[in-house]
Amino acid sequence: QVQLVESGGGLAQAGGSLRLSCAASVLTFTNYAMGWFRQAPGKEREFVTAISWSGGSTDYADSVKGRFTISRDNAQRTVYLQMNALKPEDTAVYYCAARLLRTARAPKDYNYWGQGTQVTVSS
């Protein structure tokens, strides 16, 4: 069983930055690829970014490419999402998720989810 706890959400102005963290309570953290997803009110949950178990491979949605950066610290069993140049359309609840081995983009391919953290970007 993998438990994930996100933190770092909050309110930011357009053009600002936030850094999200996701701490995992699993000893075999390096067995898992990690992803970030988001869900705005009335919309489906969408892929934001993912990182391989080693951190050597990353994938980004076009909407965040060049603005967001995913990273992980396997010793701390934590994955991060650095969000720069925030836009009002980035407003959503952000979730981290884990799946064994490879990264994926579909929410259904992830087995474990955090509770989510709210990010609100004002214009």
Side-chain angles (χ1 to χ4, degrees):
Q1 187 73 13
V2 179
Q3 292 186 324
L4 304 172
V5 179
E6 302 99 333
S7 60
L11 178 64
Q13 290 189 332
S17 298
L18 284 173
R19 188 192 196 204
L20 306 183
S21 299
C22 173
S25 64
V26 60
L27 293 179
T28 56
F29 185 60
T30 52
N31 286 354
Y32 294 87
M34 301 296 295
W36 285 98
F37 293 78
R38 66 187 181 187
Q39 188 166 19
K43 295 189 176 182
E44 292 187 352
R45 192 167 297 189
E46 66 172 0
F47 171 78
V48 175
T49 181
I51 189 166
S52 64
W53 69 271
S54 67
S57 176
T58 58
D59 185 22
Y60 293 92
D62 288 344
S63 59
V64 306
K65 200 172 293 184
R67 300 188 298 123
F68 290 12
T69 303
I70 190 172
S71 61
R72 65 189 294 162
D73 183 335
N74 286 338
Q76 297 297 321
R77 287 176 278 172
T78 301
V79 62
Y80 303 98
L81 180 62
Q82 178 66 44
M83 305 186 292
N84 298 330
L86 283 163
K87 304 176 181 180
E89 51 263 44
D90 294 320
T91 295
V93 177
Y94 283 71
Y95 299 89
C96 72
R99 72 184 302 267
L100 285 171
L101 302 178
R102 298 180 180 180
T103 60
R105 288 193 165 206
K108 66 177 179 62
D109 290 331
Y110 285 78
N111 307 105
Y112 304 100
W113 292 85
Q115 82 288 352
T117 186
Q118 177 70 47
V119 170
T120 302
V121 183
S122 62
S123 58

